[in-house]
Amino acid sequence: LINELDDIHINVGDIIVDHLTGYVGILISRSRRIDMVKDDVYFWEIMWTKQSHKRKGNQIEIAGVLEEETLKLSILIGAIELYSVEEK
């Protein structure tokens, strides 16, 4: 699983689709934070643009920042779809 996560490359400008909430987002920037246990932890700032489909009930609020490993794991399991600026 670790090797598969390492094979996922994320870049500024990539577009992601969150299939659970229906939101579409653009990766704006990556920041590094220091953690006492894991040392370096990286976070992605995301500008969420809109829902790609209508949900019944209240609109879901989602954060504008995701931890990199969580984002990669979500991509790996298919909860988030990645459209890379580097993909040919």
Side-chain angles (χ1 to χ4, degrees), residues 16-44:
I16 58 173
V17 178
D18 185 329
H19 291 294
L20 299 176
T21 63
Y23 281 90
V24 176
I26 300 170
L27 301 180
I28 302 299
S29 64
R30 181 180 186 233
S31 61
R32 178 181 148 228
R33 298 184 186 163
I34 306 296
D35 181 75
M36 302 251 328
V37 176
K38 291 182 72 174
D39 197 23
D40 293 336
V41 180
Y42 293 92
F43 291 84
W44 282 92

Side-chain angles (χ1 to χ4, degrees), residues 28-73:
I28 302 299
S29 64
R30 181 180 186 233
S31 61
R32 178 181 148 228
R33 298 184 186 163
I34 306 296
D35 181 75
M36 302 251 328
V37 176
K38 291 182 72 174
D39 197 23
D40 293 336
V41 180
Y42 293 92
F43 291 84
W44 282 92
E45 180 183 354
I46 302 166
M47 180 181 291
W48 293 104
T49 57
K50 67 172 187 168
Q51 286 183 291
S52 61
H53 59 78
K54 299 276 184 184
R55 286 185 57 93
K56 294 180 181 177
N58 295 335
Q59 209 170 2
I60 296 173
E61 294 294 323
I62 55 177
V65 177
L66 282 176
E67 192 269 331
E68 186 170 82
E69 284 187 17
T70 302
L71 178 57
K72 285 184 173 185
L73 185 58

